[in-house]
Amino acid sequence: MATDEETKPVSTDLPVHPKPQNEDFDIVATYRSLLSSDREITMPIAAIESLIEFLSVTPYVTSMELVEKVKHQKALLLASAPNPLPILAGADLFEQFLLRSLRPPPAASSSSNLTEPMSFDQTREHLVANKQLFAQRAQAARDNIAIWGTRYVSDEKIVLTAGGSRTVTKILLRAATDQSKHFKVIYITEPTNTRSQAAVDELRQAGLEVETIVPNKVAYVLANQKKINLVLVGTEAIMQNGGIISGMGTAQLAALVKAIPGGMKRFYVAAETHKIVRKTPIAYPIVKKMGVRQRDITRFENIGVDLNNELVKEQLLQESDEVDYTDPELIDGIITEQGVKMTWQIWELVDDYI
C-alpha cells in the first residue's frame, strides 16, 4: 500500500505567496549602515550580511530567479563603491555558497552520501539564523592572525607600519603583552589621517613606544634605522596571485624595503582570507582597470575637474582612501588566520564564511 508521501501529488506550479516584501529594500543603504554602525566589521563581511538581509525579505522564487536577483543586488553594491574589490570578495563568497546550496548533486553520484541541496526556505533560514556569526568569525580570524603575527615581532627591534589597519593593530597589541619582547613602533602617518592617528593612540595607551613620521621620511628612516626588521601593513583586498590592493603608498613602501641595502627587513601583509578576490591581474595593473574609480594622474584626468564638486566626490575615491597595487614579488609573506602564506599559496586558499 502506498504511503502518504508516495501519494502526494507533485505540482509543477509555484505556490501562491503574498506580495513581494523587498520592493523598497535598499542594499546600498543597508551596506553603508552596517559599516557605520560597527567599526570592527570588514567590507566583505558587510557585503555578505547585506545580501543575507536582502534574502530575508525576498519571497519564494525559483532557484534561477533567486540567483538572478542576488546577481542584481551584487551589481548594485559594486556600482555604489569607488573601490568595489572588497565588496566583490564578500559577494563572491556569498554567491558561491548560494549556488552550491541550490545545485543538485551530479546524477552519477546519486547513490553517494553527498548532501542534498537545500530548498529556498532552508537556505534562507540557515543564512538569516547565522547572520551574526559572520562578523564573529571575522573577529576570530583577526584574533588568530594576531597569534601568528606576534611571532614575527622581535625583541629589541622596531616595527614599521602604516595605514591604520585594525588587524596590524591587533598583532602589535598582542605582542605588547609578551613580557619577553620589548619592541618599538614607527608609524607612517599624517595629522589629517584620522584612522592612523587612532591606531597610534591605541598603541600608546597600551604602553608601546610609538614614533610617527610623515611619508617623505620613509626612505631616510629605512636606510638609517638599523633596528627595523619588520614592515607590516594591512590591506583592503588580496588578489588571487598574492598581490594586494591597499592604501596609496603601500606599493612605494614595499619597493623601498626591497631597495634598501642590507636585506634584513621583511615586508609582510596581515589580512583575513575573506578578503581574497578571485581575480588575477594579467600584468602590473592600473587599479582603474580593476574597477577602482579614483583620479588617474597618469592621464592627467583631474585637469579642469572641480574636485570639490559633490558629484565628483561621490564618484571618485577621496584622496585619503585612494589605493594602489603591490606586486606579490615585493611581499615576503601574508599573515592569515590559516597561517603565514607565501604569495604563490594564496590561490590555494578556499575560505568559506557561510
Side-chain angles (χ1 to χ4, degrees):
M1 185 175 182
T3 63
D4 290 340
E5 183 176 352
E6 291 171 337
T7 56
K8 285 181 181 177
V10 178
S11 174
T12 57
D13 296 329
L14 292 177
V16 177
H17 289 274
K19 185 179 179 180
Q21 301 297 308
N22 65 349
E23 291 179 345
D24 298 325
F25 182 79
D26 187 336
I27 195 163
V28 174
T30 301
Y31 170 77
R32 291 174 178 172
S33 175
L34 285 167
L35 287 178
S36 63
S37 62
D38 185 354
R39 180 178 174 272
E40 296 300 315
I41 197 171
T42 63
M43 288 182 277
I45 297 299
I48 291 173
E49 292 195 5
S50 299
L51 288 166
I52 293 172
E53 193 67 34
F54 166 73
L55 202 63
S56 72
V57 297
T58 299
Y60 180 89
V61 290
T62 65
S63 296
M64 185 174 295
E65 288 173 331
L66 177 60
V67 171
E68 289 305 311
K69 285 177 178 289
V70 168
K71 284 182 181 292
H72 176 67
Q73 295 297 319
K74 173 183 171 182
L76 291 176
L77 264 183
L78 294 175
S80 72
N83 178 9
L85 294 175
I87 294 175
L88 181 63
D92 276 353
L93 279 175
F94 179 86
E95 192 174 354
Q96 287 168 16
F97 170 81
L98 197 61
L99 291 171
R100 195 164 60 244
S101 299
L102 297 173
R103 185 184 299 124
S109 304
S110 58
S111 60
S112 67
N113 293 323
L114 289 176
T115 303
E116 290 295 319
M118 288 192 283
S119 68
F120 171 86
D121 288 334
Q122 287 174 324
T123 300
R124 176 168 56 187
E125 288 172 9
H126 170 75
L127 287 168
V128 173
N130 291 279
K131 178 184 173 184
Q132 299 302 320
L133 290 178
F134 307 133
Q136 294 171 13
R137 288 176 182 175
Q139 183 60 52
R142 198 172 290 160
D143 291 339
N144 286 334
I145 291 170
I147 294 172
W148 285 100
T150 299
R151 304 176 187 184
Y152 289 82
V153 178
S154 304
D155 184 37
E156 299 298 330
K157 295 295 183 179
I158 296 175
V159 179
L160 178 66
T161 188
S165 165
R166 291 163 293 189
T167 308
V168 169
T169 300
K170 194 91 172 180
I171 290 174
L172 297 175
L173 289 174
R174 183 179 178 86
T177 64
D178 187 341
Q179 298 300 316
S180 68
K181 293 181 179 180
H182 300 86
F183 65 97
K184 298 178 182 180
V185 177
I186 296 179
Y187 221 109
I188 307 165
T189 186
E190 293 177 303
T192 56
N193 191 325
T194 56
R195 187 165 56 183
S196 291
Q197 288 296 325
V200 169
D201 292 342
E202 188 173 359
L203 294 173
R204 285 174 173 167
Q205 288 170 9
L208 279 169
E209 292 184 61
V210 183
E211 182 63 87
T212 59
I213 61 170
V214 291
N216 59 8
K217 290 186 178 180
V218 172
Y220 176 84
V221 170
L222 281 170
N224 290 279
Q225 180 48 264
K226 305 303 181 184
K227 285 193 173 183
I228 296 174
N229 72 331
L230 174 64
V231 180
L232 185 61
V233 299
T235 187
E236 294 188 13
I238 309 172
M239 308 310 291
Q240 196 165 255
N241 69 334
I244 62 170
I245 300 292
S246 195
M248 184 67 74
T250 304
Q252 176 177 274
L253 177 58
L256 283 170
V257 171
K258 297 301 179 189
I260 298 298
M264 297 302 293
K265 298 173 176 62
R266 295 289 180 264
F267 185 90
Y268 278 84
V269 178
E272 305 92 328
T273 54
H274 66 247
K275 292 182 177 179
I276 296 175
V277 180
R278 273 69 178 169
K279 281 181 176 291
T280 301
I282 302 301
Y284 196 96
I286 298 173
V287 292
K288 186 176 180 180
K289 293 182 179 180
M290 303 169 72
V292 178
R293 300 194 301 275
Q294 63 186 25
R295 288 171 290 175
D296 185 359
I297 61 173
T298 64
R299 296 177 182 273
F300 294 88
E301 290 183 352
N302 57 328
I303 293 179
V305 176
D306 181 7
L307 299 177
N308 292 318
N309 182 282
E310 290 302 319
L311 182 60
V312 173
K313 284 184 177 181
E314 184 176 336
Q315 293 176 341
L316 300 177
L317 280 174
Q318 297 300 296
E319 188 172 10
S320 60
D321 295 324
E322 289 179 343
V323 296
D324 60 22
Y325 170 76
T326 303
D327 192 84
E329 292 184 2
L330 298 174
I331 300 170
D332 291 300
I334 299 179
I335 306 170
T336 77
E337 71 273 21
Q338 297 184 27
V340 181
K341 306 296 182 180
M342 299 297 100
T343 54
W344 57 267
Q345 294 178 298
I346 292 300
W347 71 274
E348 299 174 340
L349 295 178
V350 179
D351 191 23
D352 191 353
Y353 269 76
I354 309 295

